[in-house]
Amino acid sequence: MAGALVDIRDVSKVYGRGDVAVHAVDHVSVTIDSGEFVAVMGASGSGKSTLMHILGCLDIPTEGHYLFAGETVETMSERQLADLRNRRIGFVFQQFQLLSSLPAWRNVELPLLYRAAANRRGLAMEALDRVGLADRVEHRPNELSGGQQQRVAIARALVTDPDLILADEPTGNLDSASSHEILEMLVSLNASGRTIILITHDPAIAAVASRQCTMRDGRLLEAVAA
């Protein structure tokens, strides 16, 4: 481990005011070190999705403090947040979020466009090769299986060489065989040193992580070693 990558202290996210205020995240504190694989579990409405948005710098907490690799997140401008997300966080979503009109390599290339990176095609090809899709680079999403589409999404998350991969229900739209394949890939990425936060409602999926946290009613109930 190389020290804390994610460090949130007494973080809350409140929607509404007064008697109708809802604490979607309610005074949560957790530290995730570089190189960890952490699963955040919880049922629908538990607050795990809101916590994910905060961890991914997609939302700012109402209260509390968030340090990402030692940098204070809650005081960042929108531009700084966008730069942090682009350079240091890779996202993998349940719905894949691929552009149907673009081939696989173009989908993987997209995060690099925001930083005007050189050799974008080459980097995209390397990322697709890492996830075993070197022979599918010109295929559009509708020409790929669900598992292959999710591997394209993982390649897109990897192409910027981020510090953190945030995977939100990455197996939710996959059959059991494809789900197993994607989870094995996440375990392998973690074994190579990548920090991963996995959001899931399923304890069986969370079991692949080395550490599991449970959300309920906006609160973090436990954070224990698997």
Side-chain angles (χ1 to χ4, degrees):
M1 298 296 176
L5 179 64
V6 167
D7 188 13
I8 62 175
R9 288 285 172 262
D10 208 26
V11 160
S12 295
K13 184 65 181 184
V14 182
Y15 297 101
R17 295 182 179 180
D19 293 338
V20 296
V22 175
H23 284 73
V25 172
D26 192 3
H27 295 93
V28 167
S29 297
V30 67
T31 299
I32 297 171
D33 288 333
S34 294
E36 278 201 273
F37 189 163
V38 178
V40 178
M41 292 181 290
S44 177
S46 64
K48 71 181 187 301
S49 293
T50 302
L51 180 62
M52 179 204 74
H53 289 153
I54 291 171
L55 293 172
C57 301
L58 296 166
D59 202 356
I60 296 298
T62 308
E63 304 171 8
H65 303 287
Y66 180 10
L67 295 178
F68 187 96
E71 297 184 39
T72 303
V73 171
E74 68 267 17
T75 59
M76 290 183 179
S77 66
E78 287 296 328
R79 186 186 183 97
Q80 289 173 319
L81 287 169
D83 186 66
L84 174 60
R85 289 191 299 267
N86 178 253
R87 293 180 179 275
R88 309 193 72 172
I89 304 175
F91 295 91
V92 181
F93 299 103
Q94 178 178 348
Q95 302 293 340
F96 314 141
Q97 304 296 340
L98 303 177
L99 296 182
S100 61
S101 62
L102 298 181
W105 79 267
R106 286 285 191 187
N107 270 284
V108 173
E109 173 201 39
L110 288 173
L112 300 173
L113 296 175
Y114 295 101
R115 63 170 72 176
N119 190 30
R120 294 191 298 270
R121 181 183 174 97
L123 292 171
M125 296 294 192
E126 288 177 14
L128 284 164
D129 185 50
R130 288 186 65 184
V131 301
L133 289 178
D135 60 342
R136 295 289 189 273
V137 297
E138 294 292 350
H139 286 61
R140 287 175 170 76
N142 66 356
E143 299 170 320
L144 300 170
S145 69
Q148 288 172 334
Q149 289 183 65
Q150 193 60 291
R151 282 196 275 165
V152 173
I154 291 173
R156 182 183 57 197
L158 289 172
V159 76
T160 58
D161 193 26
D163 299 306
L164 170 67
I165 292 177
L166 187 55
D168 181 20
E169 300 280 7
T171 63
N173 283 336
L174 303 177
D175 59 39
S176 58
S178 296
S179 295
H180 181 71
E181 176 184 275
I182 294 304
L183 291 175
E184 281 194 333
M185 186 169 297
L186 292 176
V187 170
S188 177
L189 288 170
N190 176 247
S192 70
R194 195 77 56 175
T195 308
I196 298 174
I197 300 176
L198 170 66
I199 310 297
T200 182
H201 68 280
D202 188 342
I205 299 297
V208 303
S210 56
R211 181 172 156 215
Q212 299 154 3
C213 305
T214 301
M215 291 286 293
R216 183 177 297 165
D217 297 328
R219 291 185 174 273
L220 192 69
L221 298 182
E222 57 188 30
V224 298

